[in-house]
Amino acid sequence: MALAAKLQLRQSQSLVMTPQLMQSIRLLQFTHIELERFIDDEIERNPLLERAEPQDDAVSDQAQKVDVAPETAPGGDWFETETAWSAEAISEKLDTSLENLFPDDPGTSERLGPDLTAQWKSASGNGSASSSDGFDVADMAAAAITQREHVGEQVALAFADPAARLIASELADGLDEAGYMRADMAEIAARLGTDKTAVTNALAVCQTFEPAGIFARDLAECLSLQLAVRDRLDPAMKALIANLELLARRDFQTLKRICGVDEEDLLDMLAEIRALDPRPGMAFSGGASDAIVADVEVRAANDGSWVIELNSETLPRVLVDHIYFAQVSPHAKNQTEKDFLAECLQNANWLTRSLDQRAKTILKVASEIVRQQDAFLVHGVRHLKPLNLRTVADAIGMHESTVSRVTANKYMLTPRGVFELRYFFTASIASSGGGEAHSSEAVRDRIKQLIDEEKTVDVLSDDAIVDMLRESGVDIARRTVAKYREGMNIPSSVQRRREKRALASAGR
């Protein structure tokens, strides 16, 4: 068989991930904050992109109010002319003399004049001066002190030796936002060229700073520092702090034996522990946090349906400057500049189309979620239906991965609060009577209600909860109930019974 080279023509289809397509996919899963940062970067790189600032109706209305003729405005005759602010005019308006208005300053009437007219008119916002030129109280508000600034002030006062002050500053840099010292002592000593003893001594001084508990290396040390300040770190309390894992398991019998106290004393000790702050550093501002802003707003319509709108605050407004492109493109000196302008125009047009497609996709997915979860919006979490990504994807004719990207880190404002879009996608739990399946989130809420309503003499075990749920039509396994209970940080029936009895004994 002879071997020979051949040329063959073949057709095939394949999906190529172009940079523009990858950009569109990324835009879908961006939060509105990430999207704003991305657009800022694009505007900085692309001279043909610019933001479209919306018209501020409030400013326009205010400007119209300012332009209202004085005779038609309430009290407009006060601002007719500057002579209206003379001493005689004011006395006539108020039907009294200025000496009665300013008894401590009888010379006021002589000092009133055009200067006061300008000041009063500027302060009242009815003069020609812009209100932005006036005094703003917010500009004088003191910024919240940070944890680092608060600790730095105490370091400067507590250490006279420059070397010890330098070590303390390094320790302060190792604080996390909760006030715990996470830096390695040996590493700090090696970096500063000193021994570990000097670092330990500096840490001991820093642990006396306010707030109490700061510079602790773990929770037990944090609680111990606060108890020491309160002069309550006795041997029994030390034993309790050393066995926090038993406290977390609510093993009160073992704790009473280890601490050598009776039940009443143990309850008093637990009350003191609850009064402590496990994260003392959180009292300071660690920086601005981003508030949750809903991407979609849902409200009830008059006809009983739901109105679904995109939040305008989360929608970036970007324009392509075609006029600027038309002005500069004829002046391109070489092919490189022409290619650059053409690429900028292409990228700008693609970005605007991608943003528009992103908004339409979010609205389409949100509308389908509202349609599927109408009962939840009307009646609450007990009527939340089981829902998965494929159901929504098939209903709107999109791929499941697209729905997954759209629902990531997006929020919906409903009459029942703000929820992440992923909240509406829950697992399905079969019905014991063969009816409609139940949402796992609704079952969790039912379990929590049953436990909240239980009594001290009748604490529900997981098996009892399973039986009660099956009577109400929920076919669920015991291990699932235990998993949901632990996910809500609810202790077992044995621990709840022990705690309820202890609290009841303390109440007597």
Side-chain angles (χ1 to χ4, degrees):
M1 181 177 179
L3 297 177
K6 295 182 179 179
L7 291 176
Q8 293 182 345
L9 189 63
R10 181 181 303 171
Q11 279 187 336
S12 63
Q13 291 183 343
S14 61
L15 179 62
V16 179
M17 294 291 290
T18 63
Q20 290 84 357
L21 181 58
M22 294 177 63
Q23 181 189 82
S24 299
I25 294 176
R26 288 176 57 202
L27 292 180
L28 281 177
Q29 57 192 8
F30 277 171
T31 65
H32 74 277
I33 297 177
E34 294 172 338
L35 184 61
E36 290 291 340
R37 294 170 182 169
F38 173 79
I39 291 177
D40 288 339
D41 293 339
E42 289 296 317
I43 292 177
E44 185 177 355
R45 288 194 294 263
N46 194 332
L48 301 182
L49 281 174
E50 63 178 9
R51 285 190 179 273
E53 298 298 336
Q55 294 294 330
D56 193 345
D57 297 335
V59 174
S60 300
D61 295 342
Q62 182 66 24
Q64 294 174 2
K65 291 179 182 178
V66 173
D67 294 336
V68 171
E71 59 273 14
T72 61
D77 54 346
W78 278 84
F79 308 102
E80 290 178 358
T81 59
E82 291 191 3
T83 57
W85 291 92
S86 64
E88 293 77 7
I90 295 176
S91 298
E92 182 179 354
K93 294 282 186 181
L94 300 178
D95 195 22
T96 184
S97 65
L98 294 181
E99 285 76 6
N100 293 331
L101 294 176
F102 306 99
D104 296 333
D105 191 5
T108 302
S109 59
E110 286 76 9
R111 292 196 302 271
L112 285 175
D115 292 340
L116 182 63
T117 303
Q119 294 175 10
W120 282 20
K121 293 177 70 176
S122 176
S124 62
N126 291 273
S128 59
S130 173
S131 58
S132 62
D133 298 333
F135 176 76
D136 190 356
V137 178
D139 294 338
M140 303 299 294
I145 187 171
T146 64
Q147 175 183 262
R148 186 64 181 85
E149 293 170 346
H150 180 74
V151 171
E153 293 175 357
Q154 298 182 74
V155 167
L157 296 175
F159 294 92
D161 183 20
R165 191 183 303 120
L166 178 61
I167 296 175
S169 298
E170 286 291 324
L171 293 174
D173 291 337
L175 291 176
D176 63 8
E177 62 178 7
Y180 286 85
M181 212 287 291
R182 301 301 186 186
D184 183 75
M185 308 281 285
E187 180 182 349
I188 292 178
R191 186 166 61 248
L192 297 180
T194 184
D195 55 2
K196 191 175 180 180
T197 303
V199 179
T200 304
N201 294 338
L203 178 62
V205 176
C206 292
Q207 289 179 343
T208 63
F209 291 172
E210 294 181 353
I214 200 169
F215 281 95
R217 287 162 287 188
D218 52 37
L219 177 60
E221 188 174 33
C222 179
L223 300 179
S224 298
L225 292 173
Q226 297 180 55
L227 290 169
V229 172
R230 302 184 181 195
D231 197 20
R232 282 294 295 123
L233 195 59
D234 52 25
M237 191 64 80
K238 289 181 179 179
L240 177 62
I241 296 299
N243 294 274
L244 291 178
E245 67 280 357
L246 296 177
L247 179 59
R249 295 202 303 264
R250 293 174 171 81
D251 193 352
F252 298 141
Q253 296 297 330
T254 305
L255 285 174
K256 287 192 295 184
R257 185 178 67 254
I258 293 176
C259 298
V261 296
D262 57 17
E263 189 170 306
E264 183 177 357
D265 291 338
L266 180 61
L267 290 174
D268 292 339
M269 295 166 64
L270 295 180
E272 293 184 36
I273 293 295
R274 291 190 184 98
L276 303 178
D277 187 0
R279 297 183 295 177
M282 297 301 292
F284 303 94
S285 60
S289 58
D290 297 327
I292 293 178
V293 179
D295 299 88
V296 182
E297 298 179 358
V298 179
R299 66 178 185 274
N302 295 330
D303 59 354
S305 61
W306 298 102
V307 178
I308 307 167
E309 296 178 344
L310 292 175
N311 186 359
S312 59
E313 295 182 3
T314 63
L315 294 178
R317 299 172 178 86
V318 181
L319 294 178
V320 181
D321 196 344
H322 292 280
I323 297 178
Y324 180 70
F325 175 78
Q327 291 175 348
V328 300
S329 57
H331 302 285
K333 298 179 180 180
N334 49 50
Q335 188 62 36
T336 302
E337 293 182 358
K338 293 181 180 179
D339 293 342
F340 172 75
L341 291 174
E343 183 181 359
C344 288
L345 181 61
Q346 180 184 1
N347 292 338
N349 290 328
W350 184 273
L351 178 60
T352 54
R353 288 197 298 267
S354 298
L355 292 175
D356 181 65
Q357 185 63 36
R358 175 183 182 272
K360 292 179 179 178
T361 305
I362 293 176
L363 186 60
K364 188 180 295 186
V365 172
S367 300
E368 180 61 23
I369 291 176
V370 171
R371 191 184 71 83
Q372 295 281 350
Q373 301 293 359
D374 175 75
F376 163 79
L377 297 175
V378 176
H379 303 290
V381 67
R382 295 292 176 82
H383 297 268
L384 190 66
K385 293 171 54 179
L387 186 65
N388 54 42
L389 297 174
R390 180 174 293 277
T391 302
V392 175
D394 294 341
I396 62 178
M398 291 186 176
H399 196 270
E400 186 176 349
S401 62
T402 303
V403 178
S404 177
R405 291 186 178 94
V406 169
T407 56
N409 301 317
K410 309 292 191 308
Y411 293 86
M412 179 186 294
L413 174 62
T414 71
R416 296 194 172 274
V418 179
F419 299 92
E420 188 178 5
L421 294 185
R422 288 286 178 91
Y423 173 83
F424 299 98
F425 296 89
T426 58
S428 175
I429 297 179
S431 175
S432 58
E436 188 177 356
H438 301 272
S439 167
S440 59
E441 193 66 32
V443 174
R444 284 191 183 93
D445 184 74
R446 177 61 176 159
I447 293 173
K448 185 177 184 302
Q449 182 187 23
L450 291 174
I451 293 177
D452 291 340
E453 294 176 352
E454 66 185 5
K455 300 179 181 179
T456 304
V457 295
D458 189 19
V459 176
L460 299 176
S461 64
D462 292 344
D463 291 324
I465 294 176
V466 169
D467 295 337
M468 297 177 70
L469 290 176
R470 285 180 177 173
E471 290 177 0
S472 61
V474 181
D475 187 11
I476 191 171
R478 180 187 179 278
R479 63 179 179 274
T480 306
V481 171
K483 181 180 71 173
Y484 289 170
R485 175 179 53 76
E486 292 172 357
M488 294 183 289
N489 295 322
I490 299 176
S492 65
S493 59
V494 176
Q495 295 172 337
R496 298 200 308 273
R497 184 180 295 108
R498 185 184 298 122
E499 184 175 1
K500 289 179 181 293
R501 289 178 177 175
L503 294 175
S505 300
R508 291 197 300 268

